[in-house]
Amino acid sequence: MQEDIQKVLNRMCDPKEEEAYHFADKLGSMADEETKDHLITLVKGDQWEIAYLACRALAKTSWNEESLDAIFEAIFDKKNKAIQGAFVQILEEFNLGYRFVDIFRVFLFGNFKASTLAKGYLDSVEFDITPRTIRKAEKHWNHYLHNPEDEESLALKKLEVEPMLQELKDLFEE
């Protein structure tokens, strides 16, 4: 890694650094392929604050899909269940147009904050929807139906999900 990039990375990762967000943004704007790979490794690491900053840096790069793969992996990692909302929040910095199914899964299976944020994305992002996308979403919905958190949350989710899926299906039946 280049010396300048390493200095910025060190500042971003320094727990005493008050400008860590600034350094994450700066790192993202100067990242090369090697830096991107290192940031993805940090996203998958055990220090969630550093992982969050790495996500922020990745948002400033041109590696949208590869970055999102790592971030969704972190969101669904059981070790991050309590703080997954932070990872879902950073998604607003990315192009989510091809990630309907991932966002839908977060809505169904995420903690309260993650699920609430995911619902916001489902309502506001313009997704690229295909019949295959709908089938994948239905598969996750069926899994949720057979493994609900509790009956009350199931009833609430049904009120939101079933009309949403029907509306998507209707797009292709015209």
Side-chain angles (χ1 to χ4, degrees):
M1 222 177 282
Q2 302 159 343
E3 194 175 319
D4 290 348
I5 290 176
Q6 189 60 55
K7 284 180 184 174
V8 175
L9 178 66
N10 291 345
R11 296 281 304 266
M12 180 189 88
C13 294
D14 182 349
K16 296 181 191 90
E17 179 57 65
E18 292 183 16
E19 301 282 325
Y21 280 21
H22 165 75
F23 288 104
D25 293 346
K26 186 174 180 177
L27 183 62
S29 66
M30 60 195 296
D32 57 11
E33 186 93 22
E34 183 182 350
T35 308
K36 178 247 330 169
D37 292 341
H38 187 69
L39 288 168
I40 286 175
T41 301
L42 291 175
V43 170
K44 297 176 182 182
D46 290 331
Q47 295 178 283
W48 83 266
E49 294 94 344
I50 301 291
Y52 179 83
L53 290 167
C55 291
R56 187 178 172 109
L58 286 165
K60 305 292 185 218
T61 71
S62 60
W63 294 286
N64 192 74
E65 288 304 305
E66 206 171 334
S67 300
L68 284 171
D69 288 343
I71 295 168
F72 279 110
E73 197 175 306
I75 289 169
F76 293 116
D77 190 326
K78 289 187 186 340
K79 76 176 184 240
N80 294 326
K81 184 73 172 173
I83 46 97
Q84 71 185 167
F87 290 108
V88 176
Q89 191 167 5
I90 199 73
L91 292 174
E92 70 189 12
E93 302 293 326
F94 290 86
N95 175 3
L96 300 173
Y98 295 102
R99 296 301 185 129
F100 177 83
V101 174
D102 293 315
I103 299 294
F104 186 71
R105 281 181 62 210
V106 173
F107 172 63
L108 292 177
F109 301 106
N111 66 19
F112 180 77
K113 181 179 180 181
S115 183
T116 302
L117 289 166
K119 179 66 171 120
Y121 297 139
L122 289 171
D123 291 342
S124 64
V125 171
E126 193 169 314
F127 292 101
D128 184 28
I129 302 292
T130 65
R132 183 170 184 252
T133 306
I134 298 168
R135 284 193 303 275
K136 284 180 166 183
E138 287 178 316
K139 183 183 116 193
H140 292 297
W141 175 236
N142 286 326
H143 178 74
Y144 181 85
L145 286 173
H146 295 95
N147 303 285
E149 300 161 43
D150 56 69
E151 290 305 311
E152 192 173 310
S153 66
L154 176 62
L156 287 172
K157 290 272 200 282
K158 268 187 174 185
L159 289 173
E160 295 188 68
V161 171
E162 289 179 347
M164 180 193 321
L165 290 176
Q166 188 57 53
E167 191 177 312
L168 292 173
K169 284 183 200 173
D170 291 346
L171 292 172
F172 294 96
E173 290 178 2
E174 293 173 357

